[in-house]
Amino acid sequence: MNEDFIRQLGYANLDTRLKRISDKMIHSLRSMYKTLDIDVEPSWYLVLLLVNEYPNSSVMEIATRLQFTHQSIDTMTNKMVASGYLIKVKDTVDKRKTIFNLTEKARNNLPLFTKIWEIGKEVIFELLNQDTIIMEHLDGLESNLKESSFGDRIKEKLNA
């Protein structure tokens, strides 16, 4: 049985298809990092790039720039601190605010990470058959979801 039920359902399962693709890519990256003996998670590159570009970033600033939840960034940065990639200190003015900077380990590994990420961009371009129109569609989708969430849109139609 070689049927792909999710694919057969078409665009109605866009969220599931995107999640499945994301899961495959993340699993593949974890395996690659393990093979290369690099102790990072695939999602960490965003935080590493951001904190490198914007030193002294807070959890809220990182979450806002990446448009992730505060909780997910808090969890991720705690793991990165534990793995020695981020330094975490309390803000001197607002003690509730946690500030992050790259450690020496992170700075030393940044050239290798950057090389991996640049090659990753090339590979994604190849996987997309050199056609990035999907990015415009994703931009439109994200913009529409900012206006009104998926769930809110369904409830609105249910109540109509």
Side-chain angles (χ1 to χ4, degrees), residues 37-49:
D37 200 28
I38 301 172
D39 65 334
V40 296
E41 284 293 317
S43 59
W44 293 1
Y45 82 95
L46 293 169
V47 174
L48 290 169
L49 286 174

Side-chain angles (χ1 to χ4, degrees), residues 8-41:
Q8 287 176 357
L9 294 172
Y11 68 87
N13 279 309
L14 176 66
D15 59 332
T16 305
R17 292 275 307 268
L18 291 173
K19 172 107 172 70
R20 185 169 70 178
I21 291 167
S22 176
D23 287 349
K24 284 180 182 180
M25 292 174 77
I26 288 170
H27 176 75
S28 174
L29 284 169
R30 273 195 188 110
S31 177
M32 179 205 67
Y33 284 134
K34 187 174 183 177
T35 302
L36 296 173
D37 200 28
I38 301 172
D39 65 334
V40 296
E41 284 293 317

Side-chain angles (χ1 to χ4, degrees), residues 28 32 39 44 58 95-96 100-101 114-115 123-124 135-136 142 151 155:
S28 174
M32 179 205 67
D39 65 334
W44 293 1
S58 70
K95 297 294 182 192
R96 297 169 299 168
F100 294 98
N101 283 294
T114 301
K115 183 177 181 180
V123 171
I124 289 172
M135 301 311 294
E136 291 176 34
E142 285 183 319
K155 284 192 298 188

Side-chain angles (χ1 to χ4, degrees), residues 69-108:
T69 65
H70 180 280
Q71 180 61 40
S72 67
I73 294 300
D74 191 50
T75 301
M76 188 184 315
T77 53
N78 283 332
K79 289 178 183 176
M80 294 174 76
V81 168
S83 292
Y85 286 99
L86 291 178
I87 297 167
K88 171 176 155 176
V89 296
K90 290 292 181 188
D91 186 35
T92 54
V93 177
D94 182 352
K95 297 294 182 192
R96 297 169 299 168
K97 193 173 172 182
T98 303
I99 303 294
F100 294 98
N101 283 294
L102 298 181
T103 62
E104 186 176 337
K105 176 182 178 180
R107 284 191 302 279
N108 289 342

